Amino acid sequence: MIAFTLNGAPASTDAAPFAPLSDTLRESLGLTGTKVGCEAGDCGACTVLIDGAQACACLVPTAQAEGAAITTIEADHPVLARLRAAFLAHAAAQCGICTPGMIMAAADLLLRDAVPDAQAVRDAIGGVLCRCTGYQKIVEAVLAAAQGFTPVEQEAPAGEAVGASLARLDGWPKVLGTERYGADATPADALWLRVVRSPHASARFTLGDIDAARARHGLHAILTAADVPGLNGFGIMPALKDQPVLADGFVRYRGEAVLALVGERSAVEAVRDADLPITWQPLPALIGVEAARAEGAPLLHDHAPGNILVQGRLARGNPDAVHATAAATAEGAFTTSFVEHAYIEPEAGHAIPREDGMDIIACTQAPYMDREEVARVLGIAEDAVRIIPSACGGGFGGKLDVSVQPLLAVAARRVNRPVRVTYSRTESMASSTKRHPAQMHATMSADADGNFLAYTLEGDFNTGAYASWGPTVANRVPVHAAGPYRVPHVRAQARAVHTNEPPSGAFRGFGVPQAAIATEALVDDLALQLGHDRWAIRRRNALGRGDVTHSGQVLQASAGLPDCLDALKPEWDAMLAKVEAHNADNPRHRLGAGIACMWYGCGNTSMSNPSRMRAVLARDGRLTLFNGAVDIGQGSTTVIAQIFADALGLPVHSIDFVLGDTALTHDAGKTSASRQTFVSGRAAMETGRALRARILALANAGEDARLSLTGTTLTVTDGVGAARTIDLAALPADLDAEGRYDPPTTALDADGQGIPYATYGFAAQIALVRVDTQLGTVKVEEIVAAQDVGRAINPDLVLGQIHGGIAQGLGLALMEEYIPGRTENLHDYLIPTAGDVPPIRVHLIEDPEPEGPYGAKGVGEPALVPTAPAILGAIRHATGVRIDRVPVLPHRLWEAMR
Amino acid sequence: MIRYHRPTTLTEALSIRAGEDVAILAGATDIYPAAANRRAWGDPTHKDVLDITAIPGLRGVTESAHGWRLGCLVTWSDIARADLPRQFDGLRQAARQVGGQQVQNRGTLLGNLVTASPAGDGIPNLLALNAHVEVAGRDGTRMLPVADFLTGYRATALAPDEIAVALHIPKLPRAVSGFRKLGARHYLVISIAMVAAVIDIDENGRILMARLAIGACSATAQRLPGLEAELRGTSLYHADKVPEARHLDHLSPIDDIRASGAYRREAALRLLRDLLWDLGE
Ligand SMILES: Cc1cc2nc3c(=O)[nH]c(=O)nc-3n(C[C@@H](O)[C@@H](O)[C@H](O)COP(=O)(O)OP(=O)(O)OC[C@H]3O[C@@H](n4cnc5c(N)ncnc54)[C@H](O)[C@@H]3O)c2cc1C
Ligand code: FES
Ligand code: FES
């Protein structure tokens, strides 16, 4: 027995002395508020206090807890209470998976230093990674908590929710540590599952006596491809289920699932892969698109000749002829790397077999798609599968594809017991999808006045071993590639190429961030050649209302890029002046300023992607919104409620929620493509209006009536002040209503012409960097963003999306590079820490979108897009070197400057 | 099942160590990540563990007439907070830059040395401080200079039945010291290259003795004997002019995920000059 003090009370455990304290807290003592993101000290999610000092619980043997005082997020302490409220009030928790660790690290500081400055806060939380917030709001929250208790505003009067920065409505569990993520709240009788994965990028394998191995290791089952009852395949594309749940004698990437071990935890965790009857025959691997496209390269899939999965294309005018005669032409070849989503929550969940089907509780961005995939793999009807999303500790596109779900389903079916799984960090990184590495060749030309004339891009996007979202990237890139500018002649082609590397899928921006790196560099080139200011050339060409896009779509409304640029102009001028003054007498540490723009179509490309919502005002007075949109931290639960509340005319805090459960809610589509506020938000608005119409009809009241609800009494007050009451309890049935929205788009023709999206988000950013020209190191000093969001339904949550997108864009530019076998953990794969993200200022531009709810459109992805090109432009400004490869690691910049 | 020993005396610890093949565990900040890495690719096995943290008296920072003794359980945070003279400035700076505060609070300096990673931030400082390792075995203790203790890439002279119990650092009351670390992000970052210096000066700033070491540019961190000799007798205020590429010829930096070898060599020289410039300020 190991005895210690836990949150002020005596505690003891018979956990193994070498078990990490994080595991003991979670699995033996039931305190799942302490999160585990890496088991290696790299993420800080498991931070607790040991005798008052912060420590990673995953690095502490339970034996060392003996006699110590352990404090976790569950503790009752005034400093924790202040931090919790401040985190909530300052929107410092998005997905919330880092929040317990952040709060504990901050508590360590506040207990030692009651009035810290921002630098002390960053030092204290420097060991905790957050992938969502960009840290600024976290630092603000800690500073606020030091000052005292921050009031948490979660209520707004009827009709005033839209536009209010309410604290997220689902926020308390996140700051209390009671939120249930994929690895939390698992049934006590669940068996454990561990996936055995290929260490080879390309190999054949044969299996020996699996049943003997099962018996030898005391397992309940070892699952192979043969155990998949339905189709052994999954994938995003409706007609291409190319990725096996368990490989069948052949693997196409390192990390591919080969076997699943199922049994009691101790048995499953004791098995060495080397003791399993797998005989490997490694094959030459295609690494990189050049190898895959080379003459005679082996084919990964029969359906992809030349290893080309798909090719997307857009063509307009005659760009080649125009390039040849234009006053200025710029071109370049640009390369980007695999980028890992690095959500702090590794994939996790559990399955519960039911007599007539299967329940899956797991972290996801796409419950309805998960349901289809699981049903197909099990060979059962879709409605026999119920997906209950757990809280999602970050997604960013990486949890759109299924991961644990089919494996859990097959296992639970086989052993007929609940089964749970939690991926390790390395397993998550090795097996999950990535941002596509791109190799792009682009050319852009302009006339002597700086008007853009023509643009061409040829891009190979490394889609890895399986299709995943490769086709989406290949289609989205050509539409956006030439940037948010008027360019009459465009040809853009993007190929998705298979290699023996991890499947590239969806990652915030679907290929657009990569293309923007190329395009914005060329825009800078043209400005340089023509002697124009980089802001001015962008402003001159910026798409605005009434302009025609490269796919021939007329932007009828909500095209606020000119406003974004205008908002940045004073800061741009100030930045340039600062750079000039500084560089005049600092030859080594040089400043540089950069600017970039972006546009981003909200919703799926040229595809129906409806959302449906339902609301019930019950006879007992309860108002419930059945919302199928999954909130992965971005705030859709709150934003959608704000929209619904105002459309209905009741206050937002009177709403109860049923969220994203495929048995209880309608399909609100995937949390992707920046579509939830726009598409599901509009569906929520329609739902609110429909319910309001029913109420007004019952009361025989006019449109301008005001509603109020007390108990079961609904009061309807019309414009002249006459009130009518409806006793809900006396109604023959609950009042319910539904709303649906599907953004209007058209198919694209062979030249990519048509209406791919109903609306676009626009943004521009400027960045100031400091480069040590001797060491090649880059410090981003400042970023100012201006983003047209249509309407900021909840300004604080919008800012959170922008900050977080910028942090990810900074990582893309400067440090992130996933290399299979080499950067498979958060030690070697670097994402920005609290010390890397600069102060960010944001101008919210609101050019309302008539299609959107209250004028809103998507904000989730756009913020990431301009960041990397703005930073790269700034590096160039500082050093004179055009960057053609990211990440710009210090040695790369140093080599480029040689 | 992994056996876990947590003795309360050094004698007991030494006899366990002598009796079986155990992994010594102190702050565990290297032990657990290594285990997680192996487990991720299907090797969940681990040696039996000898946890030395319940042995009293191993965490002290003590001063004697000749020098300082840092017990083997002294953590990075202990160093950052200890009342140590200027010759420890470099080590103190390193202590504040290792990992995040969680790691600093538990990880030990001695564990960093025993792991003997080329990128261990403590090691160049220990070389520059001319630290000696006190190693206890069943037959008594022996003292080894850090340079001899390190025998290669992640390899030390520690015998299978020994435990390192302390570091001894000779006093240099007038010495100045510093550390420069280069990484690709701000917190939680493994060094691309780092340099440490301990320089003894007279009252006029003339260098009496210089000890400089560079990490992450060879299999083990290296002193710079040529440069050290040339610095002797020069003024600290101009010392940054002295280092040349040739002083680093004996290093063998490699290309890896963090940087290229060529860059490391150049960056190390730059860091060295910067550090000397800082010390001369
Ligand atoms: C997230 C993270 C970030 C890090 N960042 C850095 C960094 O920036 N720079 C850096 O240099 N390091 C870094 N490290 C590694 C650093 O924490 C370790 O090297 C630490 O100092 C080792 O001490 P420990 O007490 O934790 O050792 P342990 O993990 O307990 O042991 C390490 C090794 O030393 C042996 N050992 C320990 N004590 C003794 C002893 N008394 N006698 C004999 N053998 C012994 C052990 O058997 C083991 O082989 C980082 C680690 C993590 C997890
Ligand atoms: S889980 Fe402990 S640091 Fe990541
Ligand atoms: S809120 Fe920090 S990781 Fe999601």
Side-chain angles (χ1 to χ4, degrees):
Chain A
M1 272 293 175
I2 298 163
F4 47 96
T5 305
L6 179 57
N7 296 333
S12 66
T13 177
D14 55 6
F18 192 50
L21 179 60
S22 48
D23 190 74
T24 300
L25 288 169
R26 294 175 52 83
E27 299 295 339
S28 305
L29 298 164
L31 296 188
T32 53
T34 299
K35 300 302 171 197
V36 173
C38 72
E39 301 171 285
D42 296 320
C43 75
C46 63
T47 299
V48 299
L49 305 186
I50 301 185
D51 294 329
Q54 60 170 306
C56 292
C58 73
L59 299 182
V60 178
T62 301
Q64 290 186 1
E66 178 70 41
I70 313 289
T71 312
T72 70
I73 185 67
E74 287 92 351
D76 186 8
H77 189 286
V79 166
L80 292 181
R82 270 166 27 214
L83 283 162
R84 289 184 185 114
F87 267 60
L88 198 47
H90 285 264
Q94 288 189 22
C95 81
I97 193 79
C98 71
T99 307
M102 283 291 179
I103 288 183
M104 296 318 292
D108 174 44
L109 172 69
L110 296 190
L111 290 168
R112 284 181 287 112
D113 177 358
V115 279
D117 61 10
Q119 187 53 46
V121 174
R122 281 191 291 270
D123 286 347
I125 63 164
V128 192
L129 299 177
C130 175
R131 192 58 155 166
C132 298
T133 64
Y135 303 101
Q136 187 159 311
K137 289 191 171 288
I138 293 176
V139 175
E140 284 168 17
V142 178
L143 291 172
Q147 301 293 316
F149 198 83
T150 323
V152 176
E153 205 48 78
Q154 287 179 313
E155 301 188 359
E160 292 175 29
V162 168
S165 281
L166 302 184
R168 44 185 324 134
L169 302 177
D170 55 353
W172 277 110
K174 296 179 195 290
V175 296
L176 287 163
T178 54
E179 184 70 294
R180 302 299 195 194
Y181 296 88
D184 307 331
T186 45
D189 61 340
L191 292 177
W192 290 58
L193 183 152
R194 176 167 87 76
V195 188
V196 176
R197 297 186 177 276
S198 169
H200 305 289
S202 174
R204 288 186 192 292
F205 67 91
T206 50
L207 298 176
D209 189 341
I210 288 291
D211 201 55
R214 184 196 60 71
R216 191 165 62 243
H217 294 292
L219 298 169
H220 284 63
I222 298 181
L223 305 176
T224 71
D227 295 303
V228 177
L231 181 76
N232 183 17
F234 62 88
I236 297 300
M237 295 303 129
L240 189 55
K241 304 297 167 189
D242 61 342
Q243 182 163 358
V245 178
L246 290 164
D248 196 358
F250 184 60
V251 291
R252 297 181 177 86
Y253 77 104
R254 173 178 163 93
E256 185 160 351
V258 175
L259 299 175
L261 314 181
V262 187
E264 297 299 336
R265 181 180 187 186
S266 54
V268 166
E269 292 188 344
V271 179
R272 289 171 67 218
D273 287 7
D275 294 337
L276 292 166
I278 311 176
T279 310
W280 291 104
Q281 184 198 335
L283 300 170
L286 298 177
I287 304 298
V289 293
E290 257 129 57
R293 292 193 61 201
E295 192 79 37
L299 292 189
L300 266 91
H301 299 277
D302 292 339
H303 58 256
N307 288 318
I308 295 175
L309 169 64
V310 287
Q311 176 157 318
R313 179 169 183 279
L314 181 145
R316 183 176 184 79
N318 191 353
D320 297 320
V322 177
H323 282 325
T325 57
T329 305
E331 67 177 308
F334 300 87
T335 306
T336 72
S337 306
F338 278 113
V339 183
E340 158 66 21
H341 302 86
Y343 26 74
I344 303 302
E345 180 202 28
E347 294 78 355
H350 65 275
I352 302 177
R354 305 282 179 207
E355 207 168 309
D356 51 354
M358 184 68 65
D359 290 359
I360 306 275
I361 298 87
C363 51
T364 180
Q365 294 179 247
Y368 275 83
M369 220 162 48
D370 293 355
R371 186 172 76 156
E372 274 174 51
E373 300 269 32
V374 168
R376 191 180 304 104
V377 163
L378 289 180
I380 62 176
E382 269 179 40
D383 57 11
V385 176
R386 178 176 180 187
I387 304 288
I388 307 169
S390 66
C392 184
F396 318 114
K399 289 177 183 164
L400 282 166
D401 302 66
V402 289
S403 55
V404 298
Q405 296 87 348
L407 288 161
L408 284 170
V410 172
R413 170 85 317 137
R414 170 67 176 274
V415 297
N416 202 26
R417 262 176 75 171
V419 176
R420 61 184 283 193
V421 68
T422 303
Y423 283 0
S424 73
R425 171 56 53 184
T426 296
E427 178 175 26
S428 169
M429 292 181 73
S431 65
S432 69
T433 62
K434 302 283 169 283
R435 180 184 295 290
H436 286 70
Q439 284 186 13
M440 300 164 290
H441 187 270
T443 310
M444 193 165 190
S445 46
D447 68 16
D449 296 330
N451 299 310
F452 297 157
L453 297 177
Y455 175 89
T456 46
L457 172 119
E458 283 278 320
D460 280 331
F461 287 73
N462 180 346
T463 207
Y466 295 102
S468 183
W469 294 81
T472 311
V473 169
N475 291 327
R476 196 174 262 274
V477 167
V479 175
H480 292 84
Y485 307 112
R486 288 185 302 272
V487 189
H489 303 273
V490 177
R491 189 183 57 249
Q493 301 203 72
R495 275 176 294 270
V497 182
H498 279 305
T499 62
N500 288 119
E501 293 179 270
S504 295
F507 191 164
R508 223 170 179 172
F510 287 105
V512 178
Q514 294 96 306
I517 285 173
T519 306
E520 295 293 320
L522 299 185
V523 170
D524 283 354
D525 271 329
L526 292 174
L528 208 65
Q529 284 182 36
L530 294 166
H532 286 221
D533 172 76
R534 288 170 288 158
W535 177 91
I537 201 168
R538 287 175 170 83
R539 180 66 178 84
R540 165 186 287 269
N541 291 284
L543 282 174
R545 231 172 292 165
D547 284 334
V548 182
T549 68
H550 320 136
S551 64
Q553 179 177 356
V554 181
L555 296 174
Q556 306 288 5
S558 194
L561 182 59
D563 304 327
C564 291
L565 283 165
D566 291 346
L568 292 177
K569 180 69 163 79
E571 281 147 308
W572 174 245
D573 290 341
M575 223 179 240
L576 289 179
K578 186 169 175 181
V579 170
E580 198 175 342
H582 171 93
N583 289 355
D585 49 3
N586 279 292
R588 174 168 171 187
H589 296 277
R590 295 182 66 82
L591 294 182
I595 179 168
C597 299
M598 81 93 219
W599 62 327
Y600 197 78
C602 301
N604 298 3
T605 313
S606 288
M607 262 202 279
S608 164
N609 62 123
S611 281
R612 222 172 124 195
M613 296 268 162
R614 176 167 168 253
V616 175
L617 180 53
R619 281 170 293 175
D620 61 4
R622 279 166 55 116
L623 171 62
T624 308
L625 178 63
F626 294 82
N627 170 4
V630 183
D631 192 328
I632 58 172
Q634 88 284 21
S636 60
T637 296
T638 306
V639 165
I640 286 171
Q642 288 176 268
I643 293 167
F644 169 76
D646 280 11
L648 172 61
L650 282 171
V652 68
H653 51 270
S654 56
I655 306 170
D656 283 338
F657 297 98
V658 172
L659 295 167
D661 174 331
T662 60
L664 303 176
T665 58
H666 289 308
D667 188 356
K670 300 173 273 289
T671 298
S672 71
S674 300
R675 58 179 294 287
Q676 289 300 22
T677 297
F678 176 53
V679 182
S680 296
R682 172 75 185 268
M685 185 172 93
E686 299 299 334
T687 309
R689 284 187 175 160
L691 186 56
R692 180 178 175 83
R694 289 203 60 187
I695 294 167
L696 296 182
L698 274 181
N700 206 5
E703 254 310 312
D704 57 350
R706 277 178 291 118
L707 309 185
S708 69
L709 179 64
T710 319
T712 62
T713 307
L714 182 63
T715 308
V716 184
T717 312
D718 69 16
V720 294
R724 256 160 284 193
T725 58
I726 299 170
D727 181 11
L728 294 171
L731 292 179
D734 294 344
L735 292 174
D736 68 7
E738 272 192 28
R740 181 178 182 281
Y741 179 68
D742 191 6
T745 59
T746 67
L748 297 176
D749 68 15
D751 284 334
Q753 300 295 300
I755 301 181
Y757 310 102
T759 187
Y760 297 80
F762 291 88
Q765 290 177 13
I766 59 176
L768 180 70
V769 304
R770 177 182 301 263
V771 179
D772 180 334
T773 55
Q774 301 267 329
L775 288 174
T777 49
V778 177
K779 171 107 184 86
V780 182
E781 303 245 297
E782 188 184 344
I783 288 188
V784 192
Q787 187 160 326
D788 171 19
V789 301
R791 172 82 188 273
I793 303 290
N794 183 319
D796 268 0
L797 294 183
V798 171
L799 292 184
Q801 288 301 294
I802 295 177
H803 291 176
I806 286 172
Q808 291 183 357
L810 185 150
L812 168 68
L814 297 181
M815 59 182 85
E816 300 191 28
E817 183 167 24
Y818 177 77
I819 309 171
R822 303 189 66 186
T823 59
E824 285 170 346
N825 54 49
L826 295 175
H827 208 58
D828 298 314
Y829 184 88
L830 303 182
I831 66 171
T833 67
D836 298 294
V837 183
I840 297 168
R841 284 200 306 283
V842 180
H843 300 276
L844 290 181
I845 306 297
E846 298 187 305
D847 187 359
E849 166 52 53
E851 283 285 323
Y854 296 98
K857 52 190 182 182
V859 295
E861 289 156 288
L864 180 143
V865 182
T867 309
I871 291 172
L872 301 180
I875 294 173
R876 181 180 188 180
H877 190 218
T879 63
V881 175
R882 186 177 83 186
I883 305 296
D884 55 13
R885 176 170 181 197
V886 291
V888 196
L889 296 172
H891 71 104
R892 293 201 182 127
L893 179 54
W894 176 82
E895 273 147 26
M897 284 186 300
R898 286 281 120 10
Chain B
M1 264 298 267
I2 297 160
R3 291 180 57 201
Y4 196 96
H5 306 278
R6 200 166 187 242
T8 50
T9 65
L10 187 59
T11 320
E12 207 185 329
L14 285 168
S15 86
I16 293 166
R17 180 87 165 129
E20 50 179 306
D21 184 15
V22 287
I24 297 176
L25 181 147
T29 64
D30 278 329
I31 298 261
Y32 278 98
N37 269 342
R38 285 195 306 272
R39 201 162 59 232
W41 291 104
D43 180 6
T45 57
H46 199 280
K47 273 192 191 175
D48 290 344
V49 174
L50 171 59
D51 179 337
I52 57 173
T53 58
I55 303 171
L58 299 182
R59 199 171 166 175
V61 175
T62 47
E63 185 181 1
S64 71
H66 321 285
W68 295 83
R69 182 179 189 275
L70 309 182
C72 64
L73 296 182
V74 168
T75 64
W76 298 108
S77 295
D78 291 342
I79 291 166
R81 279 194 289 263
D83 185 15
L84 288 166
R86 280 200 307 177
Q87 76 180 91
F88 287 93
D89 284 355
L91 186 62
R92 205 185 342 260
Q93 287 157 12
R96 293 208 177 92
Q97 292 181 60
V98 166
Q101 288 185 4
Q102 297 93 329
V103 167
Q104 294 163 16
N105 284 342
R106 311 227 26 120
T108 63
L109 175 59
L110 221 142
N112 190 251
L113 175 66
V114 176
T115 293
S117 157
D121 285 329
I123 296 169
N125 286 292
L126 292 175
L127 288 170
L129 285 164
N130 191 23
H132 285 59
V133 192
E134 179 186 340
V135 174
R138 266 177 315 168
D139 310 326
T141 61
R142 59 181 180 134
M143 285 283 233
L144 284 174
V146 164
D148 296 347
F149 184 77
L150 294 169
T151 54
Y153 177 78
R154 292 181 179 273
T156 71
L158 197 72
D161 60 353
E162 290 179 322
I163 297 174
V165 291
L167 290 159
H168 291 260
I169 291 148
K171 276 189 181 167
L172 282 176
R174 279 184 315 265
V176 295
S177 153
F179 175 70
R180 280 273 173 136
K181 164 170 175 171
L182 175 65
R185 72 175 171 188
H186 192 83
Y187 297 110
L188 286 177
V189 69
I190 299 304
S191 298
I192 293 171
M194 72 285 209
V195 301
V198 173
I199 299 179
D200 198 17
I201 49 175
D202 68 13
E203 55 282 4
N204 301 317
R206 184 178 310 281
I207 296 178
L208 301 172
M209 190 254 345
R211 280 194 298 257
L212 303 164
I214 291 192
C217 288
S218 28
T220 59
Q222 295 291 322
R223 290 269 297 273
L224 303 175
L227 177 59
E228 292 174 6
E230 281 181 48
L231 284 171
R232 212 169 300 135
T234 65
S235 159
L236 182 61
Y237 311 115
H238 302 119
D240 64 304
K241 308 283 184 308
V242 181
E244 301 286 348
R246 63 189 159 83
H247 294 127
L248 275 52
D249 279 349
H250 62 299
L251 303 183
S252 47
I254 57 161
D255 291 355
D256 68 7
I257 49 165
R258 287 187 262 276
S260 66
Y263 170 77
R264 281 200 159 90
R265 189 180 284 283
E266 178 87 7
L269 179 60
R270 190 68 255 169
L271 293 174
L272 204 53
R273 290 178 177 158
D274 288 351
L275 177 58
L276 290 172
W277 193 82
D278 272 1
L279 292 176
E281 274 281 85

